[in-house]
Amino acid sequence: MQLGMIGLGRMGANLVRRLMRDGHECVAYDVSADAVKALEAEGAGGATEIGDFVAKLSKPRAIWIMVPAAVVDATLTKLVPLLEEGDIVIDGGNSYFKEDIARAEALAAHKLRYLDIGTSGGAWGLQVGYCMMIGGERSAFEHIEPILKTLAPEGTGYGYMGSAGAGHFVKMVHNGIEYGMMQAYGEGFELLQASRWDLDLGAIADLWGKGSVVRSWLLELAADAFRKDPGLEQITGYVEDTGEGRWTVEQAIELGVPMPIIANSLFMRFRSRQPDSFSAKVLAALRNEFGGHAVKEKE
């Protein structure tokens, strides 16, 4: 099957590579000519102009957009006027599901089909496959299913979630759960590190991955990280958050769903960026005022 890919960053380029390995035809487009040339050298068709890109695709065209959420609309503004009835546009990035609903309605006015595909797999997806959560028009999903079977682990790691926005909604919650799991692992390993014993954290992470109830791929990655840097001395504790974590908490508030663990894991990421928290200073000052408890002066 043929697919056009817009956006050749790590994820987009590796999606193309996995598809070509299974015999699919890919046409690649990116604002970076070097990124296009790299995939052309591996067998993809290439284009550095959006019009040329669209012209190289067979009808009905299937176009996967793999760009940051902030530039999806700008990409669609350039792309949509060049498309024809029945063409399929896929957003495989991490867009907000409410924006998907609006985009699907806007594209339907042009008789175009829209899919939102929440894609998980990261740097390992090329080798082991991607987990994909799909929302949008059912006919579009069925049309591109051969592509999904190739991209998924052993053809099973994908599923149709429902109408427009459902794919990215499920991926959003997936990432919120990921926040909570990572926070729990982080706290547990901090307690192990602070104990009286000189514990091998990498060995423990590896051990827990062998049949324990807390085993997971994240734990395997933790074991790898501890092997590379046992004390994690080469990095800082500054942790970014992506939109999905915030959106998950916002939806919990909007729908009245209690979500204390995921919400707190998001707030802890904010805390990681404060070398000296003002709220902690207030607590120290209050303890000193009401109980005469010692405060630690700045050096």
Side-chain angles (χ1 to χ4, degrees), residues 65 67-77 91 93 95 99 103 114:
I65 300 173
V67 299
V71 297
V72 171
D73 285 329
T75 303
L76 289 174
T77 297
D91 180 2
S95 291
E99 294 176 353
R103 288 169 186 153
Y114 180 81

Side-chain angles (χ1 to χ4, degrees), residues 122-176:
W124 294 85
L126 176 60
Q127 287 77 33
V128 302
Y130 300 88
C131 177
M132 292 167 291
M133 298 140 267
I134 301 101
E137 191 170 330
R138 182 94 196 193
S139 68
F141 160 71
E142 292 171 351
H143 182 82
I144 69 159
E145 198 162 4
I147 284 172
L148 301 175
K149 287 181 178 178
T150 288
L151 293 175
E154 300 180 357
T156 61
Y158 68 94
Y160 179 73
M161 302 293 107
S163 61
H168 278 149
F169 182 84
V170 174
K171 175 59 162 46
M172 175 193 76
V173 177
H174 162 283
N175 282 27

Side-chain angles (χ1 to χ4, degrees), residues 183-204:
Q183 183 65 30
Y185 281 136
E187 292 176 9
F189 280 109
E190 182 172 2
L191 183 58
L192 293 173
Q193 191 270 339
S195 76
R196 70 181 70 185
W197 298 283
D198 183 18
L199 298 172
D200 185 333
L201 302 186
I204 292 170

Side-chain angles (χ1 to χ4, degrees), residues 75-251:
T75 303
L76 289 174
T77 297
K78 297 176 183 177
L79 178 64
V80 168
L82 305 175
L83 302 182
E84 300 176 64
E85 180 177 346
D87 287 348
I88 299 169
V89 177
I90 303 159
D91 180 2
N94 286 320
S95 291
Y96 188 33
F97 75 94
K98 291 185 177 181
E99 294 176 353
D100 291 310
I101 296 170
R103 288 169 186 153
E105 292 176 353
L107 266 63
H110 296 275
K111 298 183 178 179
L112 303 174
R113 295 176 285 176
Y114 180 81
L115 293 174
D116 52 283
I117 301 184
T119 308
S120 181
W124 294 85
L126 176 60
Q127 287 77 33
V128 302
Y130 300 88
C131 177
M132 292 167 291
M133 298 140 267
I134 301 101
E137 191 170 330
R138 182 94 196 193
S139 68
F141 160 71
E142 292 171 351
H143 182 82
I144 69 159
E145 198 162 4
I147 284 172
L148 301 175
K149 287 181 178 178
T150 288
L151 293 175
E154 300 180 357
T156 61
Y158 68 94
Y160 179 73
M161 302 293 107
S163 61
H168 278 149
F169 182 84
V170 174
K171 175 59 162 46
M172 175 193 76
V173 177
H174 162 283
N175 282 27
I177 293 170
E178 176 188 302
Y179 274 45
M181 291 173 66
M182 291 174 66
Q183 183 65 30
Y185 281 136
E187 292 176 9
F189 280 109
E190 182 172 2
L191 183 58
L192 293 173
Q193 191 270 339
S195 76
R196 70 181 70 185
W197 298 283
D198 183 18
L199 298 172
D200 185 333
L201 302 186
I204 292 170
D206 189 59
L207 172 66
W208 285 351
K210 303 298 191 296
S212 86
V213 296
V214 299
R215 66 186 182 274
S216 74
W217 183 51
L218 287 173
L219 197 57
E220 293 175 23
L221 297 178
D224 289 341
F226 287 128
R227 274 192 287 270
K228 295 172 186 173
D229 183 5
L232 302 184
E233 296 172 353
Q234 304 304 312
I235 60 175
T236 68
Y238 186 104
V239 186
E240 288 284 5
D241 70 286
T242 55
E244 295 94 324
R246 298 187 186 212
W247 299 335
T248 301
V249 174
E250 288 171 2
Q251 280 302 295

